[in-house]
Amino acid sequence: MYDIITIGEILAEILAEKKNQNFFELGGTLLGPFPSGAPAIAIDQAAKMGAKTTIVAKVGKDDFGLLNKNRLESSGVDISNIIETSDNTTGNAFVTYATDGSRRFIFHFKHAACGELGPHDIDDALIKNSKILHIMGCSVTGSPSMSAAIMKAIRTAKKHNVKISFDPNIRPELLTGETSNYFNEILESCDFLLTGKSELVKLFGAYQKNLLELLKKKDRIIVIKDGSRGTDVYTRSEAFQVGTFPTIEVDPTGAGDCFDGTFLALYCNGVDIKTASKYGNAAGALAVSKKGPMEGNCRIEEIEHLISENPSVEAVDIENPFTKLL
Ligand SMILES: Nc1ncnc2c1ncn2[C@@H]1O[C@H](COP(=O)(O)OP(=O)(O)O)[C@@H](O)[C@H]1O
Ligand SMILES: O=C(O)C[C@@H](O)[C@H](O)C(=O)COP(=O)(O)O
């Protein structure tokens, strides 16, 4: 039995060393390759937290695949469901940051090993034998066959009461046609919506009404992550905010996935959602302090050390805007 299973892309990530460095001129230094892919980052962190985890994904028979398999295995992820294909090479993400904090990606995804993953690669028994299925929106939009694989898994999870966790993690560079139908189905089904605030705005604009509808349909946990501004959490009966931990941000990529892995691992262990959110924020702060999307992933001892140094960071109850309307 797995605590958490995820399905999606494994990538090798290449990072531009300097801000505003572009990819159309010679001369800039590139850092990496870093193990990456949003589902891989989250599942790596969940395993580091002690959860029993696996990832269903495809890599090529190449060094980028090996880089990722080695990293995930050393963190404790069961890598036996990573398929090696001879038909394509491991996917890539090239990332560059601008001085205003925005980032741009060039992906090699749809026609890479990760994009080959299809419904035939999804074993229903694996999904049924998991407590939580965690899905990232970027995976849903990455390739048509991966979308079909993920939707098959979502429907199996729903049928067998496996909890569904969804982080929309929208990457404009990966958006394709069918996306909104899939997103709507996953949003309706999910038990955990672990979303970045900017993604909520992209999905819904002014999102309060949509969150109310989601809570009316199901008592779920909605986490809104907002970078250095912290995290808001809503359920039908609870609403609270958790502030951030001091850190020096050198690379924001991966913080949200790292939050997800931490939060879900602790939830599976029976930890209350206020504590799990605080630990998630601490993990996010540690994540942004290292270059590379999962280089800042951490074990629980590092999180507890950061928390013990910052006793004033607590979950603070706020008025629940939804309770009166439900
Ligand atoms: N600069 C930062 N300083 C402190 N904590 C941060 C910082 N950036 C991210 N975090 C923590 O990591 C969490 C997840 O990061 P965020 O960027 O909001 O996720 P996402 O990528 O899903 O939008 C945040 O809610 C916050 O607690
Ligand atoms: O998997 C992808 O398609 C994108 C990843 O390469 C990237 O690392 C990412 O999206 C990280 O997400 P974040 O946690 O929201 O920064």
Side-chain angles (χ1 to χ4, degrees):
M1 182 89 186
Y2 294 107
D3 292 320
I4 309 164
I5 184 169
T6 192
I7 300 169
E9 67 279 17
I10 283 178
L11 306 172
E13 184 170 312
I14 312 293
L15 174 64
E17 186 193 30
K18 298 210 169 73
K19 292 213 166 127
N20 296 328
Q21 192 174 318
N22 63 54
F23 291 132
F24 56 80
E25 282 171 322
L26 279 178
T29 302
L30 300 176
L31 306 177
F34 295 107
S36 188
I41 302 165
I43 213 69
D44 181 88
Q45 177 60 19
K48 282 192 146 180
M49 294 295 293
K52 202 166 176 318
T53 59
T54 194
I55 177 166
V56 182
K58 271 196 181 181
V59 295
K61 289 187 177 170
D62 52 40
D63 287 353
F64 288 161
L66 193 63
L67 167 83
N68 276 282
K69 285 177 75 173
N70 286 347
R71 170 62 63 86
L72 293 171
E73 188 168 38
S74 71
S75 299
V77 178
D78 176 355
I79 59 164
S80 63
N81 297 299
I82 299 177
I83 303 157
E84 276 187 352
T85 171
S86 307
D87 295 336
N88 276 307
T89 53
T90 301
N92 298 108
F94 294 79
V95 190
T96 183
Y97 291 102
T99 24
D100 66 3
S102 64
R103 64 186 162 181
R104 280 189 304 123
F105 287 92
I106 296 177
F107 285 107
H108 172 50
F109 189 128
K110 191 169 165 181
H111 302 293
C114 56
E116 272 183 32
L117 196 84
H120 49 278
D121 297 312
I122 305 300
D123 176 1
D124 282 350
L126 268 185
I127 310 294
K128 283 191 246 170
N129 282 319
S130 303
K131 290 185 195 155
I132 298 175
L133 168 66
H134 179 63
I135 295 299
M136 311 288 308
C138 49
S139 315
V140 180
T141 61
S143 83
S145 69
M146 189 186 284
S147 311
I150 287 174
M151 295 319 294
K152 177 184 172 191
I154 290 282
R155 288 162 197 154
T156 304
K158 209 170 155 187
K159 192 161 149 208
H160 297 279
N161 295 318
V162 173
K163 287 192 185 297
I164 296 169
S165 163
F166 184 49
D167 181 341
N169 205 47
I170 296 169
R171 294 285 161 266
E173 296 88 347
L174 289 173
L175 285 176
T176 48
E178 284 266 27
T179 304
S180 63
N181 285 346
Y182 294 149
F183 267 42
N184 287 341
E185 187 176 339
I186 303 173
L187 281 166
E188 296 264 316
S189 320
C190 71
D191 300 278
F192 306 88
L193 175 59
L194 309 178
T195 177
K197 190 168 187 173
S198 58
E199 263 94 31
L200 259 192
V201 174
K202 269 184 208 142
L203 279 173
F204 299 128
Y207 50 78
Q208 297 290 335
K209 198 167 139 278
N210 304 78
L211 295 189
L212 175 65
E213 287 310 310
L214 286 175
L215 284 174
K216 269 187 183 163
K217 286 179 187 148
K218 195 179 211 180
D219 191 9
R220 51 185 119 210
I221 298 167
I222 298 177
V223 174
I224 306 174
K225 299 167 279 179
D226 195 12
S228 57
R229 284 170 293 280
T231 305
D232 295 345
V233 181
Y234 301 99
T235 68
R236 280 183 182 173
S237 55
E238 272 187 280
F240 59 89
Q241 288 179 331
V242 193
T244 50
F245 290 84
T247 189
I248 296 173
E249 183 182 296
V250 299
D251 181 0
T253 298
D257 310 329
C258 186
F259 178 102
D260 298 350
T262 306
F263 181 91
L264 294 174
L266 291 173
Y267 181 90
C268 284
N269 223 3
V271 173
D272 65 275
I273 60 169
K274 279 186 173 149
T275 306
S277 304
K278 186 164 83 174
Y279 277 53
N281 276 14
L286 291 167
V288 301
S289 70
K290 300 254 174 70
K291 280 196 174 174
M294 62 169 105
E295 302 313 299
N297 281 6
C298 57
R299 306 240 176 224
I300 195 161
E301 295 77 16
E302 290 169 75
I303 293 177
E304 289 185 334
H305 179 69
L306 185 60
I307 289 175
S308 70
E309 284 188 328
N310 295 280
S312 62
V313 180
E314 275 301 339
V316 179
D317 286 325
I318 54 174
E319 196 184 337
N320 193 329
F322 305 114
T323 36
K324 282 184 246 127
L325 303 165
L326 284 164

